[in-house]
Amino acid sequence: MLLLAVAAIGQGCAGYRLGPTNGVAARSQSVQVNPFINETIEPRLGEAVTHALRKALQQDGTFSLDTSNSGDVIVTGRIVRWDRRALSYQRRDVATPRDYRLTITAWVTARDRRTGRTLLDRKVSGHSTVRVGADLVSAERQGLPLVADDLARNTTAL
């Protein structure tokens, strides 16, 4: 009976792998993330996205983060859109939004330093829902790291 239970548990974990799944040894390559350029009128987006992407890459563990400008892969980006859309409205005031969906869209490029080959060149978006409390500016300020983290997770997954 015990043997049957151990075999069943073992089969349930058969598809699980530790470490990177792209065939490259963990941290065998380094990545350099250059500051993102903010092409929108919303301030502080570039810093938030750059910080979130660096943090996501460190947590992913596939690459080591290079801070001395000599990474094997160089990641650059341009934030091309910041969007805020109303999702729901106040119960007694249909003109005043209660929840917003914040979205950041960036054009992300990753190049191999040695060969110059483009590894990634596409638009990536991240979003989060924010509830407006006392004022919209405070809600957006609190939601910005969440949106940047989502964009970073989506970029790292690519």
Side-chain angles (χ1 to χ4, degrees):
M1 187 63 128
L2 180 61
L3 186 59
L4 184 61
V6 170
I9 291 172
Q11 282 186 337
C13 299
Y16 185 74
R17 267 182 76 159
L18 291 174
T21 58
N22 62 359
V24 178
R27 301 189 188 276
S28 65
Q29 288 188 322
S30 61
V31 64
Q32 169 187 329
V33 179
N34 291 336
F36 275 55
I37 297 167
N38 184 5
E39 295 180 351
T40 70
I41 61 170
E42 186 69 25
R44 300 180 314 274
L45 295 181
E47 295 84 9
V49 169
T50 303
H51 174 74
L53 184 55
R54 288 175 177 161
K55 184 174 74 173
L57 285 166
Q58 284 178 319
Q59 289 175 346
D60 177 68
T62 302
F63 297 98
S64 63
L65 188 62
D66 186 283
T67 57
S68 61
N69 295 330
S70 61
D72 298 319
V73 177
I74 301 169
V75 177
T76 58
R78 297 178 296 117
I79 300 169
V80 295
R81 186 167 185 177
W82 165 258
D83 191 34
R84 175 183 63 227
R85 295 191 190 271
L87 288 179
S88 65
Y89 294 88
Q90 299 291 341
R91 208 176 313 176
R92 296 189 177 152
D93 183 5
V94 294
T96 305
R98 186 172 77 176
D99 295 309
Y100 283 100
R101 179 182 181 121
L102 303 176
T103 304
I104 296 176
T105 304
W107 194 273
V108 181
T109 304
R111 296 191 194 302
D112 186 302
R113 178 185 293 276
R114 286 174 288 163
T115 65
R117 185 173 68 103
T118 301
L119 306 172
L120 176 70
D121 190 26
R122 64 184 288 186
K123 278 187 183 179
V124 183
S125 294
H127 65 272
S128 182
T129 302
V130 175
R131 172 137 313 175
V132 179
D135 65 313
L136 180 59
V137 175
S138 296
E140 282 186 353
R141 191 176 317 124
Q142 291 173 354
L144 176 58
L146 301 174
V147 180
D149 286 345
D150 188 53
L151 184 133
R153 273 191 305 275
N154 295 339
T155 303
T156 304
L158 295 172

